[in-house]
Amino acid sequence: MTTTHTPVVSIAYHSGYGHTAVIAEAVRAGAADTGATVHLIKVDEIDDAQWELLDGSDAIVFGSPTYMGTASGAFHVFAEATSKRWFGDAWQDKLAAGFSNSGSKSGDKSHTLSYFQTLAAQHGMHWVNLGLKPGWNSTTGSEHDLNRLGFFSGAGAQTNADEGPDAVHKADIATAEHLGRRVAETARVLRAGRAAVAA
């Protein structure tokens, strides 16, 4: 593996109460396990240098809690600010992926993930799905299965509304790590392919 093909993955996320930050860290750990360079960026505190990190990334993973059926207000503010990148095609052909946490098993997280997909599509990005079959959907399954909540487009996590970030489910953390690895590995293949085509 050469450093030429080492991908850069950025995780642009908002976390209202700390639960989604745990998932973001799991995505970071999974991507870093592959040797990727990974940046964690809190979108409600983003500065010019971090915008440049996003611009220089091979992949951007969007993350937010699901509040009232969509991404948080802070994430929406960030998404609207990306229009400056949209005008210049700054994120064209980058990879994108997403994750969300809510208090309910479903919690309409699919809508948040679809919102991320639309945002990515508007930027001309390529969406990386979770790539896992659903877990916990048979008598032999359990809540400890990867993808226990059965999402396909991204990583879904559920944490009881009356519990803190330390209660984020271990299976959801492992699922987020899987997403991070998948994004980084896909980015590595994409970089290598582009290098091969250019040669």
Side-chain angles (χ1 to χ4, degrees):
M1 227 177 279
T2 65
T3 54
T4 306
H5 299 152
T6 300
V8 178
V9 177
S10 286
I11 302 158
Y13 76 99
H14 173 247
S15 184
Y17 300 96
H19 307 89
T20 308
V22 172
I23 300 300
E25 170 56 30
V27 174
R28 184 210 64 77
D33 280 349
T34 72
T37 299
V38 190
H39 305 293
L40 274 176
I41 296 172
K42 297 179 180 179
V43 299
D44 53 333
E45 300 175 5
I46 194 166
D47 59 25
D48 289 343
Q50 291 173 322
W51 279 112
E52 290 178 13
L53 288 177
L54 292 176
D55 294 344
S57 298
D58 298 294
I60 302 173
V61 185
F62 302 123
S64 169
T66 295
Y67 292 155
M68 302 308 291
T70 188
S72 66
F75 190 91
H76 277 268
V77 169
F78 161 77
E80 289 182 24
T82 69
S83 63
K84 293 179 181 177
R85 268 67 194 166
W86 178 83
F87 279 108
D89 293 328
W91 294 357
Q92 181 82 24
D93 292 328
K94 293 184 185 298
L95 298 178
F99 60 91
S100 185
N101 179 82
S102 68
S104 300
K105 297 292 190 292
S106 167
D108 289 320
K109 287 185 281 283
S110 284
H111 184 266
T112 300
L113 293 171
S114 293
Y115 169 70
F116 293 157
Q117 287 178 300
T118 300
L119 175 63
Q122 288 182 332
H123 282 285
M125 303 169 81
H126 304 292
W127 190 260
V128 179
N129 58 48
L130 185 58
L132 285 175
K133 297 289 193 294
W136 201 20
N137 66 352
S138 71
T139 56
T140 59
S142 83
E143 65 173 302
H144 304 293
D145 293 343
L146 283 180
N147 197 20
R148 70 186 181 110
L149 300 177
F151 287 89
F152 293 94
S153 55
Q158 179 271 336
T159 313
N160 292 332
D162 58 350
E163 292 188 289
D166 57 336
V168 175
H169 202 287
K170 297 295 186 283
D172 296 342
I173 291 172
T175 300
E177 290 172 348
H178 168 87
L179 178 66
R181 285 191 296 273
R182 180 169 168 84
V183 169
E185 288 164 356
T186 304
R188 188 183 305 281
V189 169
L190 188 63
R191 282 185 70 102
R194 286 176 174 162
V197 169

